[in-house]
Amino acid sequence: MVDQRTPVTARLALVALTALLAGCGAVDGAATAGEIDVRALDVGGYTTAPAEIEVGRKPTDGPILEGLRMAGAVVFPHEVDESLTDSWGTDVLDTPRRTADASAISNVNLETLERHGMIVGFDIAEGNRAFDSATPTIETDARVTRVVLLRFPGDEAAEAAARDLEATDFAVSPDNQAVPIPGYPAAHAHWRPGIKTIGATFAHGEIAVSLFLQHPTPDVDALAQRVADVLDAQIPLLDAFTPTAPDQIAELPRDPDDMLRRALIPGPANQQIAISSREFASWSGRATLHYRPNEPAELSAAWDNGEVDSVAHSYSTTLFRFRDPDAATRFGDTWHDTLSASAHPVPVPEGVPGAHCAERRAGTAPALTRCYVSYRGYGAFVSGPEPTSVRRQAAAQCALLANAQ
């Protein structure tokens, strides 16, 4: 990310001033000069007390937490092929069944995954156009790359799994032919002549990489080179990743960056919620890039310049940790200033300085209201269909950030 740091002494003065004059800037006790009193905010029935995240630990948490760590080790397809501008989905694959159902893995491979002790996977796909559920991808000339990282108990298990996954998939059709991958003699790959897709697997340490690519035309040489290009970018990321020992996965922290306890959780206080990559999870380091806005360019730049290093997602709330208060404020201002034509500003929660809210309509779907609030180096979006409720969520998130200090 772009580094735009100021000298240390100037930074300290700026942070102190911004914390007092911008954002929520308060505590749950008596307010002092320059702060707002969060007790006066209309938070409805939403809780403003930080949650005890570890109390809610579930047996299913460990593999998902390891999958979230792997989210920072996967290559983004657009980093290899800049034409892949549209996200086609990303998720933790927390069971062999979910993994077998992923597009990059043949659905005949459930037994293979179970036999080799698959622990968890992480899946990402991008294309050069928006995903269209109404039209089978193979019937289009879309350019697509899908990458799945599969974690196994050891190097030998990953290597055997990569070999067997390919063998099982290869056997599905008598027309399949093996394809050598330039620079990767240990890779396993195949295609069907005349079909514009390729499947490939490659083991590296305890992780098997499974790839599925589609090309605009059935060009096997181009497909093989694209596989090699993805592996060229993926392998260094795996080298920098340290898998958690299998017997320690169950003990991975649910809130490694102290972010989830700061994120608004709808419903009553002290809920015990299982970790879910889609609904309730923390994303650290490079994994935060899964939340980076791709457009407009001004908002992408505000994210990059803000050096976001942690994200927490809690149902209708997404919380970011920026470099400093100024970066958190600037990101919200930029979002407000670059709203799309389908969105328009709406009233903000009363008494919350610097808040922004907008309503957006998409086709025949109900309008969605979204608000942004910031406190110190944190910024958060809350959203929902009912504007008054969303404003109360925003006020509650503001108070929660103050109370979590």
Side-chain angles (χ1 to χ4, degrees):
M1 292 187 179
V2 178
D3 189 354
Q4 294 186 343
R5 289 182 168 85
T6 56
V8 173
T9 52
R11 167 76 68 80
L12 292 175
L14 177 61
V15 169
L17 179 63
T18 308
L20 288 174
L21 300 181
C24 310
V27 294
D28 59 344
T32 60
E35 296 180 340
I36 63 170
D37 186 351
V38 296
R39 297 171 301 178
L41 298 177
D42 178 9
V43 301
Y46 294 102
T47 181
T48 61
E52 294 291 339
I53 301 301
E54 286 299 326
V55 172
R57 183 173 287 276
K58 307 292 183 183
T60 55
D61 289 347
I64 298 176
L65 291 165
E66 180 71 351
L68 292 166
R69 294 184 67 244
M70 292 164 60
V74 72
V75 64
F76 288 79
H78 69 262
E79 295 175 322
V80 180
D81 182 349
E82 62 182 15
S83 74
L84 305 178
T85 55
D86 288 82
S87 173
W88 282 33
T90 181
D91 202 6
V92 173
L93 303 174
D94 56 337
T95 66
R97 164 57 67 188
R98 287 194 65 198
T99 304
D101 290 341
S103 295
I105 309 293
S106 171
N107 56 14
V108 300
N109 263 313
L110 175 60
E111 187 276 333
T112 304
L113 296 167
E114 293 177 335
R115 175 160 42 88
H116 292 293
M118 191 209 93
I119 296 171
V120 69
F122 191 84
D123 177 17
I124 183 172
E126 294 177 345
N128 66 344
R129 62 185 65 180
F131 178 74
D132 180 6
S133 59
T135 305
T137 303
I138 194 64
E139 295 179 7
T140 74
D141 61 354
R143 191 178 178 99
V144 182
T145 296
R146 189 161 200 161
V147 183
V148 180
L149 302 185
L150 301 170
R151 172 72 200 285
F152 291 91
D155 294 12
E156 292 184 1
E159 184 175 354
R163 181 186 63 244
D164 292 352
L165 286 168
E166 164 64 13
T168 305
D169 200 12
F170 188 95
V172 168
S173 171
D175 297 328
N176 283 333
Q177 295 183 5
V179 179
I181 303 302
Y184 292 91
H188 311 280
H190 70 275
W191 87 313
R192 193 179 308 173
I195 305 299
K196 49 195 174 185
T197 61
I198 190 170
T201 59
F202 181 78
H204 191 74
E206 298 180 15
I207 292 178
V209 182
S210 179
L211 304 176
F212 177 86
L213 287 81
Q214 178 169 301
H215 203 64
T217 59
D219 184 336
V220 67
D221 292 333
L223 284 164
Q225 186 56 55
R226 284 179 59 193
V227 169
D229 292 343
V230 173
L231 292 176
D232 285 346
Q234 180 62 78
I235 300 309
L237 292 171
L238 294 181
D239 287 337
F241 176 74
T242 302
T244 304
D247 62 356
Q248 296 177 14
I249 287 177
E251 304 304 319
L252 283 169
R254 284 163 49 94
D255 193 11
D257 294 337
D258 199 31
M259 286 283 285
L260 274 177
R261 78 180 188 94
R262 302 173 190 268
L264 183 69
I265 302 173
N270 301 317
Q271 298 180 73
Q272 296 187 11
I273 304 173
I275 295 295
S276 165
S277 61
R278 291 180 180 269
E279 296 179 333
F280 191 68
S282 178
W283 303 66
S284 302
R286 189 175 176 275
T288 62
L289 294 176
H290 293 282
Y291 283 85
R292 179 185 182 273
N294 291 329
E295 57 182 18
E298 296 91 339
L299 195 59
S300 302
W303 170 285
D304 293 341
N305 294 338
E307 299 180 11
V308 175
D309 69 354
S310 188
V311 174
H313 184 72
S314 172
Y315 297 93
S316 57
T317 303
T318 306
L319 176 67
F320 312 112
R321 188 171 66 192
F322 292 89
R323 179 191 64 236
D324 56 33
D326 184 59
T329 300
R330 185 179 298 114
F331 183 78
D333 292 345
T334 304
W335 172 70
H336 176 266
D337 294 342
T338 58
L339 291 173
S340 68
S342 62
H344 62 273
V346 295
V348 301
E350 184 176 350
V352 180
H356 298 291
C357 295
E359 182 182 80
R360 179 179 182 272
R361 293 187 179 275
T364 59
L368 180 74
T369 298
R370 173 173 287 184
C371 291
Y372 180 88
V373 295
S374 64
Y375 174 75
R376 298 190 180 180
Y378 299 92
F381 282 116
V382 296
S383 60
E386 208 286 303
T388 299
S389 175
V390 175
R391 282 192 288 272
R392 286 172 172 163
Q393 290 179 52
Q397 178 63 83
C398 174
L400 176 56
L401 287 170
N403 293 337
Q405 297 306 305

